[in-house]
Amino acid sequence: MSMPPRPGLLRAVFLLGLAAGCMTTTSPSPLIPPGRVALRSNGTPGPEPCPEEALKAMRYLRIGIGEGALIQLDLNQDRVPTVTLYDGPIESMLEEPLGQLGAGTRLYGHVWTGGPQVTIRYYSAQEIGRDEIPVCGVVRVSKGKMARRPDSPPDAAMLDFSTAGVWIVNAFR
């Protein structure tokens, strides 16, 4: 007598298949697109579509477009009064659940500091002990709080906080 498949196993196989469909070999994370985003004249990243694999994964995880959650911006600078961000990869962490992703889930993305405000886009999420899955999210903070401090070095952006909000998007604009 054969056992019916377990729902958790089916979820893992589904998400692994999604992740395998969008892997690259030149990125620190297989789900983050390395260097393919065109920059605008002011140094901010240009438009970028959310991959269909990420849209499917977010639907499966019941994460709706426009939903948001509180995150720690940079796990290397957890809960410090001033965070210094550099262009390149970033690892953040959910402070609260987002859809079926629990608090503690890591978010992997990319930081751009060249514009008037810091831009952070997330391309994947990973719960502890699970595979990375594709997502599309951005950091948004109102009232200009993602603006670089005036005393920021030229190749970095200093911010006066270590937490922010991540918002799920269907495309990067």
Side-chain angles (χ1 to χ4, degrees):
M1 182 169 160
S2 67
M3 299 282 291
R6 297 188 324 226
L9 180 60
L10 289 176
R11 176 182 180 216
V13 169
F14 173 78
L15 294 176
L16 184 59
L18 285 176
C22 60
M23 288 190 178
T24 64
T25 58
T26 59
S27 174
S29 164
L31 301 179
I32 296 175
R36 70 177 178 116
V37 178
L39 296 181
R40 295 180 176 107
S41 60
N42 69 358
T44 60
E48 179 184 14
C50 182
E52 186 59 37
E53 294 85 9
L55 294 171
K56 286 178 187 175
M58 293 185 303
R59 281 192 299 270
Y60 183 80
L61 293 171
R62 298 182 184 169
I63 304 171
I65 305 304
E67 286 190 55
L70 184 66
I71 61 168
Q72 282 296 317
L73 277 174
D74 185 350
L75 286 181
N76 293 316
Q77 302 176 70
D78 190 24
R79 301 185 199 310
V80 296
T82 301
V83 172
T84 303
L85 299 177
Y86 297 91
D87 288 327
I90 189 167
E91 179 183 10
S92 302
M93 183 181 73
L94 286 175
E95 287 285 310
E96 56 193 19
L98 180 61
Q100 291 184 358
L101 298 175
T105 297
R106 301 314 197 251
L107 298 174
Y108 299 103
H110 194 91
V111 177
W112 289 268
T113 64
Q117 300 229 15
V118 175
T119 302
I120 303 174
R121 293 179 177 177
Y122 293 104
Y123 298 98
S124 66
Q126 184 174 28
E127 290 184 296
I128 303 296
R130 298 192 183 250
D131 292 328
E132 253 181 273
I133 56 169
V135 297
C136 292
V138 296
V139 170
R140 289 191 181 135
V141 180
S142 64
K143 301 180 182 171
K145 290 186 179 178
M146 289 302 286
R148 302 163 45 114
R149 283 182 24 173
D151 57 338
S152 295
D155 62 342
M158 294 169 52
L159 304 173
D160 288 326
F161 52 90
S162 62
T163 59
V166 63
W167 300 94
I168 298 301
V169 296
N170 59 2
F172 299 104
R173 294 174 173 80

PDB file of all heavy atoms in Angstrom, residues 121-158:
ATOM      1  N   ARG A 121      15.986  46.307  -4.059  1.00  0.00           N
ATOM      2  CA  ARG A 121      15.057  45.367  -4.674  1.00  0.00           C
ATOM      3  C   ARG A 121      15.397  43.970  -4.175  1.00  0.00           C
ATOM      4  O   ARG A 121      16.564  43.594  -4.126  1.00  0.00           O
ATOM      5  CB  ARG A 121      15.175  45.403  -6.201  1.00  0.00           C
ATOM      6  CG  ARG A 121      14.721  46.712  -6.809  1.00  0.00           C
ATOM      7  CD  ARG A 121      14.885  46.710  -8.308  1.00  0.00           C
ATOM      8  NE  ARG A 121      14.375  47.951  -8.877  1.00  0.00           N
ATOM      9  CZ  ARG A 121      14.444  48.264 -10.159  1.00  0.00           C
ATOM     10  NH1 ARG A 121      14.990  47.411 -11.024  1.00  0.00           N
ATOM     11  NH2 ARG A 121      13.966  49.409 -10.591  1.00  0.00           N
ATOM     12  N   TYR A 122      14.346  43.213  -3.839  1.00  0.00           N
ATOM     13  CA  TYR A 122      14.537  41.829  -3.396  1.00  0.00           C
ATOM     14  C   TYR A 122      14.072  40.875  -4.484  1.00  0.00           C
ATOM     15  O   TYR A 122      13.016  41.056  -5.086  1.00  0.00           O
ATOM     16  CB  TYR A 122      13.782  41.567  -2.099  1.00  0.00           C
ATOM     17  CG  TYR A 122      14.349  42.349  -0.956  1.00  0.00           C
ATOM     18  CD1 TYR A 122      13.703  43.478  -0.481  1.00  0.00           C
ATOM     19  CD2 TYR A 122      15.558  41.984  -0.373  1.00  0.00           C
ATOM     20  CE1 TYR A 122      14.251  44.220   0.563  1.00  0.00           C
ATOM     21  CE2 TYR A 122      16.108  42.720   0.660  1.00  0.00           C
ATOM     22  CZ  TYR A 122      15.441  43.831   1.116  1.00  0.00           C
ATOM     23  OH  TYR A 122      15.983  44.570   2.141  1.00  0.00           O
ATOM     24  N   TYR A 123      14.897  39.838  -4.692  1.00  0.00           N
ATOM     25  CA  TYR A 123      14.642  38.869  -5.743  1.00  0.00           C
ATOM     26  C   TYR A 123      14.368  37.471  -5.213  1.00  0.00           C
ATOM     27  O   TYR A 123      13.907  36.620  -5.955  1.00  0.00           O
ATOM     28  CB  TYR A 123      15.837  38.814  -6.704  1.00  0.00           C
ATOM     29  CG  TYR A 123      16.079  40.131  -7.401  1.00  0.00           C
ATOM     30  CD1 TYR A 123      17.042  41.018  -6.953  1.00  0.00           C
ATOM     31  CD2 TYR A 123      15.324  40.484  -8.509  1.00  0.00           C
ATOM     32  CE1 TYR A 123      17.258  42.231  -7.592  1.00  0.00           C
ATOM     33  CE2 TYR A 123      15.527  41.695  -9.160  1.00  0.00           C
ATOM     34  CZ  TYR A 123      16.497  42.563  -8.698  1.00  0.00           C
ATOM     35  OH  TYR A 123      16.699  43.754  -9.335  1.00  0.00           O
ATOM     36  N   SER A 124      14.699  37.212  -3.949  1.00  0.00           N
ATOM     37  CA  SER A 124      14.441  35.871  -3.409  1.00  0.00           C
ATOM     38  C   SER A 124      14.275  35.932  -1.899  1.00  0.00           C
ATOM     39  O   SER A 124      14.687  36.892  -1.244  1.00  0.00           O
ATOM     40  CB  SER A 124      15.562  34.900  -3.779  1.00  0.00           C
ATOM     41  OG  SER A 124      16.764  35.255  -3.151  1.00  0.00           O
ATOM     42  N   ALA A 125      13.641  34.878  -1.377  1.00  0.00           N
ATOM     43  CA  ALA A 125      13.414  34.729   0.055  1.00  0.00           C
ATOM     44  C   ALA A 125      13.796  33.307   0.440  1.00  0.00           C
ATOM     45  O   ALA A 125      13.712  32.384  -0.375  1.00  0.00           O
ATOM     46  CB  ALA A 125      11.942  34.987   0.394  1.00  0.00           C
ATOM     47  N   GLN A 126      14.221  33.154   1.702  1.00  0.00           N
ATOM     48  CA  GLN A 126      14.596  31.820   2.164  1.00  0.00           C
ATOM     49  C   GLN A 126      14.283  31.691   3.648  1.00  0.00           C
ATOM     50  O   GLN A 126      14.861  32.386   4.474  1.00  0.00           O
ATOM     51  CB  GLN A 126      16.083  31.574   1.923  1.00  0.00           C
ATOM     52  CG  GLN A 126      16.516  30.179   2.286  1.00  0.00           C
ATOM     53  CD  GLN A 126      17.952  29.915   1.901  1.00  0.00           C
ATOM     54  OE1 GLN A 126      18.771  30.819   1.847  1.00  0.00           O
ATOM     55  NE2 GLN A 126      18.273  28.657   1.645  1.00  0.00           N
ATOM     56  N   GLU A 127      13.367  30.783   3.947  1.00  0.00           N
ATOM     57  CA  GLU A 127      13.107  30.455   5.342  1.00  0.00           C
ATOM     58  C   GLU A 127      14.239  29.562   5.827  1.00  0.00           C
ATOM     59  O   GLU A 127      14.850  28.829   5.043  1.00  0.00           O
ATOM     60  CB  GLU A 127      11.764  29.741   5.490  1.00  0.00           C
ATOM     61  CG  GLU A 127      10.581  30.654   5.225  1.00  0.00           C
ATOM     62  CD  GLU A 127       9.248  29.963   5.460  1.00  0.00           C
ATOM     63  OE1 GLU A 127       8.944  29.011   4.735  1.00  0.00           O
ATOM     64  OE2 GLU A 127       8.537  30.401   6.374  1.00  0.00           O
ATOM     65  N   ILE A 128      14.513  29.593   7.109  1.00  0.00           N
ATOM     66  CA  ILE A 128      15.586  28.787   7.696  1.00  0.00           C
ATOM     67  C   ILE A 128      15.346  27.312   7.358  1.00  0.00           C
ATOM     68  O   ILE A 128      14.263  26.776   7.551  1.00  0.00           O
ATOM     69  CB  ILE A 128      15.641  28.974   9.230  1.00  0.00           C
ATOM     70  CG1 ILE A 128      15.835  30.449   9.598  1.00  0.00           C
ATOM     71  CG2 ILE A 128      16.723  28.091   9.849  1.00  0.00           C
ATOM     72  CD1 ILE A 128      17.130  31.051   9.141  1.00  0.00           C
ATOM     73  N   GLY A 129      16.376  26.674   6.808  1.00  0.00           N
ATOM     74  CA  GLY A 129      16.307  25.257   6.487  1.00  0.00           C
ATOM     75  C   GLY A 129      15.549  24.917   5.217  1.00  0.00           C
ATOM     76  O   GLY A 129      15.302  23.749   4.944  1.00  0.00           O
ATOM     77  N   ARG A 130      15.171  25.918   4.432  1.00  0.00           N
ATOM     78  CA  ARG A 130      14.416  25.661   3.197  1.00  0.00           C
ATOM     79  C   ARG A 130      15.162  26.234   1.999  1.00  0.00           C
ATOM     80  O   ARG A 130      16.103  26.994   2.143  1.00  0.00           O
ATOM     81  CB  ARG A 130      13.023  26.270   3.287  1.00  0.00           C
ATOM     82  CG  ARG A 130      12.210  25.649   4.407  1.00  0.00           C
ATOM     83  CD  ARG A 130      10.764  26.040   4.287  1.00  0.00           C
ATOM     84  NE  ARG A 130      10.019  25.502   5.392  1.00  0.00           N
ATOM     85  CZ  ARG A 130       9.133  24.533   5.279  1.00  0.00           C
ATOM     86  NH1 ARG A 130       8.884  24.013   4.103  1.00  0.00           N
ATOM     87  NH2 ARG A 130       8.488  24.100   6.325  1.00  0.00           N
ATOM     88  N   ASP A 131      14.696  25.896   0.817  1.00  0.00           N
ATOM     89  CA  ASP A 131      15.295  26.400  -0.415  1.00  0.00           C
ATOM     90  C   ASP A 131      14.899  27.855  -0.652  1.00  0.00           C
ATOM     91  O   ASP A 131      13.829  28.291  -0.218  1.00  0.00           O
ATOM     92  CB  ASP A 131      14.837  25.568  -1.622  1.00  0.00           C
ATOM     93  CG  ASP A 131      15.392  24.154  -1.593  1.00  0.00           C
ATOM     94  OD1 ASP A 131      16.507  23.971  -1.076  1.00  0.00           O
ATOM     95  OD2 ASP A 131      14.712  23.250  -2.091  1.00  0.00           O
ATOM     96  N   GLU A 132      15.749  28.572  -1.380  1.00  0.00           N
ATOM     97  CA  GLU A 132      15.430  29.924  -1.816  1.00  0.00           C
ATOM     98  C   GLU A 132      14.292  29.876  -2.813  1.00  0.00           C
ATOM     99  O   GLU A 132      14.224  28.964  -3.632  1.00  0.00           O
ATOM    100  CB  GLU A 132      16.650  30.543  -2.520  1.00  0.00           C
ATOM    101  CG  GLU A 132      17.348  31.585  -1.723  1.00  0.00           C
ATOM    102  CD  GLU A 132      18.521  32.177  -2.478  1.00  0.00           C
ATOM    103  OE1 GLU A 132      19.615  31.602  -2.384  1.00  0.00           O
ATOM    104  OE2 GLU A 132      18.327  33.202  -3.152  1.00  0.00           O
ATOM    105  N   ILE A 133      13.403  30.868  -2.742  1.00  0.00           N
ATOM    106  CA  ILE A 133      12.309  30.963  -3.702  1.00  0.00           C
ATOM    107  C   ILE A 133      12.303  32.369  -4.296  1.00  0.00           C
ATOM    108  O   ILE A 133      12.693  33.338  -3.642  1.00  0.00           O
ATOM    109  CB  ILE A 133      10.952  30.651  -3.047  1.00  0.00           C
ATOM    110  CG1 ILE A 133      10.702  31.568  -1.862  1.00  0.00           C
ATOM    111  CG2 ILE A 133      10.856  29.204  -2.638  1.00  0.00           C
ATOM    112  CD1 ILE A 133       9.308  31.508  -1.331  1.00  0.00           C
ATOM    113  N   PRO A 134      11.867  32.508  -5.527  1.00  0.00           N
ATOM    114  CA  PRO A 134      11.852  33.834  -6.149  1.00  0.00           C
ATOM    115  C   PRO A 134      10.710  34.692  -5.615  1.00  0.00           C
ATOM    116  O   PRO A 134       9.596  34.200  -5.401  1.00  0.00           O
ATOM    117  CB  PRO A 134      11.664  33.516  -7.632  1.00  0.00           C
ATOM    118  CG  PRO A 134      10.988  32.185  -7.666  1.00  0.00           C
ATOM    119  CD  PRO A 134      11.456  31.451  -6.446  1.00  0.00           C
ATOM    120  N   VAL A 135      10.980  35.960  -5.392  1.00  0.00           N
ATOM    121  CA  VAL A 135       9.985  36.955  -5.000  1.00  0.00           C
ATOM    122  C   VAL A 135      10.357  38.276  -5.675  1.00  0.00           C
ATOM    123  O   VAL A 135      11.454  38.413  -6.212  1.00  0.00           O
ATOM    124  CB  VAL A 135       9.904  37.168  -3.470  1.00  0.00           C
ATOM    125  CG1 VAL A 135       9.470  35.906  -2.743  1.00  0.00           C
ATOM    126  CG2 VAL A 135      11.210  37.693  -2.920  1.00  0.00           C
ATOM    127  N   CYS A 136       9.456  39.233  -5.625  1.00  0.00           N
ATOM    128  CA  CYS A 136       9.751  40.592  -6.081  1.00  0.00           C
ATOM    129  C   CYS A 136       9.283  41.550  -4.988  1.00  0.00           C
ATOM    130  O   CYS A 136       8.086  41.625  -4.699  1.00  0.00           O
ATOM    131  CB  CYS A 136       9.022  40.898  -7.382  1.00  0.00           C
ATOM    132  SG  CYS A 136       9.634  39.952  -8.788  1.00  0.00           S
ATOM    133  N   GLY A 137      10.221  42.248  -4.397  1.00  0.00           N
ATOM    134  CA  GLY A 137       9.891  43.191  -3.338  1.00  0.00           C
ATOM    135  C   GLY A 137      10.810  44.387  -3.368  1.00  0.00           C
ATOM    136  O   GLY A 137      11.923  44.323  -3.895  1.00  0.00           O
ATOM    137  N   VAL A 138      10.327  45.489  -2.809  1.00  0.00           N
ATOM    138  CA  VAL A 138      11.120  46.710  -2.727  1.00  0.00           C
ATOM    139  C   VAL A 138      11.014  47.298  -1.323  1.00  0.00           C
ATOM    140  O   VAL A 138      10.034  47.071  -0.617  1.00  0.00           O
ATOM    141  CB  VAL A 138      10.651  47.769  -3.758  1.00  0.00           C
ATOM    142  CG1 VAL A 138      10.865  47.281  -5.173  1.00  0.00           C
ATOM    143  CG2 VAL A 138       9.209  48.161  -3.529  1.00  0.00           C
ATOM    144  N   VAL A 139      12.032  48.050  -0.939  1.00  0.00           N
ATOM    145  CA  VAL A 139      11.979  48.782   0.326  1.00  0.00           C
ATOM    146  C   VAL A 139      11.337  50.125   0.040  1.00  0.00           C
ATOM    147  O   VAL A 139      11.718  50.825  -0.908  1.00  0.00           O
ATOM    148  CB  VAL A 139      13.390  48.984   0.925  1.00  0.00           C
ATOM    149  CG1 VAL A 139      13.343  49.940   2.101  1.00  0.00           C
ATOM    150  CG2 VAL A 139      13.951  47.648   1.363  1.00  0.00           C
ATOM    151  N   ARG A 140      10.366  50.474   0.846  1.00  0.00           N
ATOM    152  CA  ARG A 140       9.725  51.789   0.745  1.00  0.00           C
ATOM    153  C   ARG A 140       9.595  52.357   2.145  1.00  0.00           C
ATOM    154  O   ARG A 140       9.091  51.710   3.043  1.00  0.00           O
ATOM    155  CB  ARG A 140       8.344  51.673   0.115  1.00  0.00           C
ATOM    156  CG  ARG A 140       8.375  51.340  -1.339  1.00  0.00           C
ATOM    157  CD  ARG A 140       7.003  51.507  -1.963  1.00  0.00           C
ATOM    158  NE  ARG A 140       7.072  51.148  -3.368  1.00  0.00           N
ATOM    159  CZ  ARG A 140       6.195  50.392  -3.985  1.00  0.00           C
ATOM    160  NH1 ARG A 140       5.175  49.909  -3.324  1.00  0.00           N
ATOM    161  NH2 ARG A 140       6.337  50.119  -5.260  1.00  0.00           N
ATOM    162  N   VAL A 141      10.052  53.566   2.286  1.00  0.00           N
ATOM    163  CA  VAL A 141       9.903  54.285   3.549  1.00  0.00           C
ATOM    164  C   VAL A 141       9.426  55.681   3.186  1.00  0.00           C
ATOM    165  O   VAL A 141      10.010  56.347   2.333  1.00  0.00           O
ATOM    166  CB  VAL A 141      11.237  54.344   4.318  1.00  0.00           C
ATOM    167  CG1 VAL A 141      11.073  55.097   5.618  1.00  0.00           C
ATOM    168  CG2 VAL A 141      11.751  52.942   4.598  1.00  0.00           C
ATOM    169  N   SER A 142       8.383  56.137   3.836  1.00  0.00           N
ATOM    170  CA  SER A 142       7.822  57.445   3.493  1.00  0.00           C
ATOM    171  C   SER A 142       8.674  58.594   4.032  1.00  0.00           C
ATOM    172  O   SER A 142       9.607  58.395   4.811  1.00  0.00           O
ATOM    173  CB  SER A 142       6.395  57.555   4.035  1.00  0.00           C
ATOM    174  OG  SER A 142       6.418  57.507   5.441  1.00  0.00           O
ATOM    175  N   LYS A 143       8.337  59.771   3.615  1.00  0.00           N
ATOM    176  CA  LYS A 143       8.938  61.024   4.074  1.00  0.00           C
ATOM    177  C   LYS A 143      10.430  61.104   3.801  1.00  0.00           C
ATOM    178  O   LYS A 143      11.186  61.684   4.573  1.00  0.00           O
ATOM    179  CB  LYS A 143       8.642  61.238   5.553  1.00  0.00           C
ATOM    180  CG  LYS A 143       7.148  61.294   5.835  1.00  0.00           C
ATOM    181  CD  LYS A 143       6.849  61.506   7.280  1.00  0.00           C
ATOM    182  CE  LYS A 143       5.341  61.489   7.470  1.00  0.00           C
ATOM    183  NZ  LYS A 143       4.933  61.474   8.834  1.00  0.00           N
ATOM    184  N   GLY A 144      10.877  60.516   2.696  1.00  0.00           N
ATOM    185  CA  GLY A 144      12.266  60.662   2.281  1.00  0.00           C
ATOM    186  C   GLY A 144      13.286  59.969   3.153  1.00  0.00           C
ATOM    187  O   GLY A 144      14.473  60.280   3.112  1.00  0.00           O
ATOM    188  N   LYS A 145      12.868  58.988   3.950  1.00  0.00           N
ATOM    189  CA  LYS A 145      13.810  58.346   4.871  1.00  0.00           C
ATOM    190  C   LYS A 145      14.829  57.450   4.193  1.00  0.00           C
ATOM    191  O   LYS A 145      15.784  57.038   4.816  1.00  0.00           O
ATOM    192  CB  LYS A 145      13.045  57.551   5.934  1.00  0.00           C
ATOM    193  CG  LYS A 145      12.321  58.426   6.909  1.00  0.00           C
ATOM    194  CD  LYS A 145      11.712  57.604   8.018  1.00  0.00           C
ATOM    195  CE  LYS A 145      11.009  58.491   9.017  1.00  0.00           C
ATOM    196  NZ  LYS A 145      10.374  57.707  10.063  1.00  0.00           N
ATOM    197  N   MET A 146      14.655  57.158   2.903  1.00  0.00           N
ATOM    198  CA  MET A 146      15.671  56.382   2.200  1.00  0.00           C
ATOM    199  C   MET A 146      16.699  57.302   1.533  1.00  0.00           C
ATOM    200  O   MET A 146      17.564  56.846   0.804  1.00  0.00           O
ATOM    201  CB  MET A 146      15.036  55.457   1.155  1.00  0.00           C
ATOM    202  CG  MET A 146      14.264  54.294   1.764  1.00  0.00           C
ATOM    203  SD  MET A 146      15.238  53.219   2.834  1.00  0.00           S
ATOM    204  CE  MET A 146      16.207  52.335   1.643  1.00  0.00           C
ATOM    205  N   ALA A 147      16.609  58.595   1.802  1.00  0.00           N
ATOM    206  CA  ALA A 147      17.588  59.542   1.269  1.00  0.00           C
ATOM    207  C   ALA A 147      18.917  59.348   1.994  1.00  0.00           C
ATOM    208  O   ALA A 147      18.963  59.103   3.203  1.00  0.00           O
ATOM    209  CB  ALA A 147      17.097  60.971   1.444  1.00  0.00           C
ATOM    210  N   ARG A 148      20.000  59.467   1.235  1.00  0.00           N
ATOM    211  CA  ARG A 148      21.344  59.363   1.814  1.00  0.00           C
ATOM    212  C   ARG A 148      21.571  60.517   2.775  1.00  0.00           C
ATOM    213  O   ARG A 148      21.185  61.636   2.494  1.00  0.00           O
ATOM    214  CB  ARG A 148      22.387  59.471   0.710  1.00  0.00           C
ATOM    215  CG  ARG A 148      22.304  58.480  -0.374  1.00  0.00           C
ATOM    216  CD  ARG A 148      23.090  58.921  -1.599  1.00  0.00           C
ATOM    217  NE  ARG A 148      24.390  59.445  -1.271  1.00  0.00           N
ATOM    218  CZ  ARG A 148      25.540  58.900  -1.603  1.00  0.00           C
ATOM    219  NH1 ARG A 148      25.547  57.823  -2.340  1.00  0.00           N
ATOM    220  NH2 ARG A 148      26.675  59.429  -1.257  1.00  0.00           N
ATOM    221  N   ARG A 149      22.223  60.231   3.881  1.00  0.00           N
ATOM    222  CA  ARG A 149      22.618  61.322   4.775  1.00  0.00           C
ATOM    223  C   ARG A 149      23.667  62.182   4.069  1.00  0.00           C
ATOM    224  O   ARG A 149      24.476  61.665   3.293  1.00  0.00           O
ATOM    225  CB  ARG A 149      23.207  60.762   6.071  1.00  0.00           C
ATOM    226  CG  ARG A 149      22.151  60.252   7.013  1.00  0.00           C
ATOM    227  CD  ARG A 149      22.671  59.738   8.308  1.00  0.00           C
ATOM    228  NE  ARG A 149      23.965  60.266   8.736  1.00  0.00           N
ATOM    229  CZ  ARG A 149      24.507  60.023   9.913  1.00  0.00           C
ATOM    230  NH1 ARG A 149      23.867  59.262  10.771  1.00  0.00           N
ATOM    231  NH2 ARG A 149      25.672  60.498  10.228  1.00  0.00           N
ATOM    232  N   PRO A 150      23.681  63.483   4.334  1.00  0.00           N
ATOM    233  CA  PRO A 150      24.648  64.361   3.669  1.00  0.00           C
ATOM    234  C   PRO A 150      26.107  63.984   3.942  1.00  0.00           C
ATOM    235  O   PRO A 150      26.978  64.243   3.119  1.00  0.00           O
ATOM    236  CB  PRO A 150      24.345  65.743   4.238  1.00  0.00           C
ATOM    237  CG  PRO A 150      23.025  65.647   4.896  1.00  0.00           C
ATOM    238  CD  PRO A 150      22.762  64.203   5.188  1.00  0.00           C
ATOM    239  N   ASP A 151      26.379  63.342   5.070  1.00  0.00           N
ATOM    240  CA  ASP A 151      27.760  62.967   5.405  1.00  0.00           C
ATOM    241  C   ASP A 151      28.121  61.565   4.892  1.00  0.00           C
ATOM    242  O   ASP A 151      29.147  61.009   5.265  1.00  0.00           O
ATOM    243  CB  ASP A 151      27.992  63.060   6.913  1.00  0.00           C
ATOM    244  CG  ASP A 151      27.030  62.216   7.741  1.00  0.00           C
ATOM    245  OD1 ASP A 151      25.932  61.878   7.242  1.00  0.00           O
ATOM    246  OD2 ASP A 151      27.359  61.898   8.895  1.00  0.00           O
ATOM    247  N   SER A 152      27.302  61.013   3.985  1.00  0.00           N
ATOM    248  CA  SER A 152      27.596  59.694   3.411  1.00  0.00           C
ATOM    249  C   SER A 152      28.827  59.770   2.517  1.00  0.00           C
ATOM    250  O   SER A 152      29.008  60.744   1.786  1.00  0.00           O
ATOM    251  CB  SER A 152      26.417  59.202   2.562  1.00  0.00           C
ATOM    252  OG  SER A 152      25.280  58.973   3.345  1.00  0.00           O
ATOM    253  N   PRO A 153      29.665  58.730   2.565  1.00  0.00           N
ATOM    254  CA  PRO A 153      30.790  58.688   1.627  1.00  0.00           C
ATOM    255  C   PRO A 153      30.268  58.580   0.188  1.00  0.00           C
ATOM    256  O   PRO A 153      29.129  58.157  -0.031  1.00  0.00           O
ATOM    257  CB  PRO A 153      31.561  57.428   2.020  1.00  0.00           C
ATOM    258  CG  PRO A 153      30.824  56.797   3.130  1.00  0.00           C
ATOM    259  CD  PRO A 153      29.622  57.597   3.449  1.00  0.00           C
ATOM    260  N   PRO A 154      31.064  58.942  -0.809  1.00  0.00           N
ATOM    261  CA  PRO A 154      30.590  58.930  -2.193  1.00  0.00           C
ATOM    262  C   PRO A 154      30.132  57.561  -2.695  1.00  0.00           C
ATOM    263  O   PRO A 154      29.258  57.472  -3.529  1.00  0.00           O
ATOM    264  CB  PRO A 154      31.784  59.409  -3.007  1.00  0.00           C
ATOM    265  CG  PRO A 154      32.820  59.826  -2.054  1.00  0.00           C
ATOM    266  CD  PRO A 154      32.425  59.398  -0.683  1.00  0.00           C
ATOM    267  N   ASP A 155      30.709  56.476  -2.188  1.00  0.00           N
ATOM    268  CA  ASP A 155      30.377  55.134  -2.689  1.00  0.00           C
ATOM    269  C   ASP A 155      29.414  54.375  -1.782  1.00  0.00           C
ATOM    270  O   ASP A 155      29.297  53.157  -1.873  1.00  0.00           O
ATOM    271  CB  ASP A 155      31.659  54.324  -2.865  1.00  0.00           C
ATOM    272  CG  ASP A 155      32.394  54.119  -1.543  1.00  0.00           C
ATOM    273  OD1 ASP A 155      32.118  54.861  -0.576  1.00  0.00           O
ATOM    274  OD2 ASP A 155      33.248  53.220  -1.473  1.00  0.00           O
ATOM    275  N   ALA A 156      28.725  55.091  -0.889  1.00  0.00           N
ATOM    276  CA  ALA A 156      27.837  54.436   0.069  1.00  0.00           C
ATOM    277  C   ALA A 156      26.701  55.377   0.454  1.00  0.00           C
ATOM    278  O   ALA A 156      26.705  56.549   0.092  1.00  0.00           O
ATOM    279  CB  ALA A 156      28.614  54.017   1.314  1.00  0.00           C
ATOM    280  N   ALA A 157      25.752  54.839   1.190  1.00  0.00           N
ATOM    281  CA  ALA A 157      24.649  55.646   1.708  1.00  0.00           C
ATOM    282  C   ALA A 157      24.463  55.312   3.182  1.00  0.00           C
ATOM    283  O   ALA A 157      24.308  54.148   3.541  1.00  0.00           O
ATOM    284  CB  ALA A 157      23.372  55.375   0.938  1.00  0.00           C
ATOM    285  N   MET A 158      24.510  56.331   4.006  1.00  0.00           N
ATOM    286  CA  MET A 158      24.260  56.154   5.437  1.00  0.00           C
ATOM    287  C   MET A 158      22.806  56.516   5.716  1.00  0.00           C
ATOM    288  O   MET A 158      22.299  57.520   5.211  1.00  0.00           O
ATOM    289  CB  MET A 158      25.212  57.026   6.248  1.00  0.00           C
ATOM    290  CG  MET A 158      26.653  56.587   6.094  1.00  0.00           C
ATOM    291  SD  MET A 158      27.890  57.753   6.769  1.00  0.00           S
ATOM    292  CE  MET A 158      27.330  58.044   8.404  1.00  0.00           C
TER     293      MET A 158
END
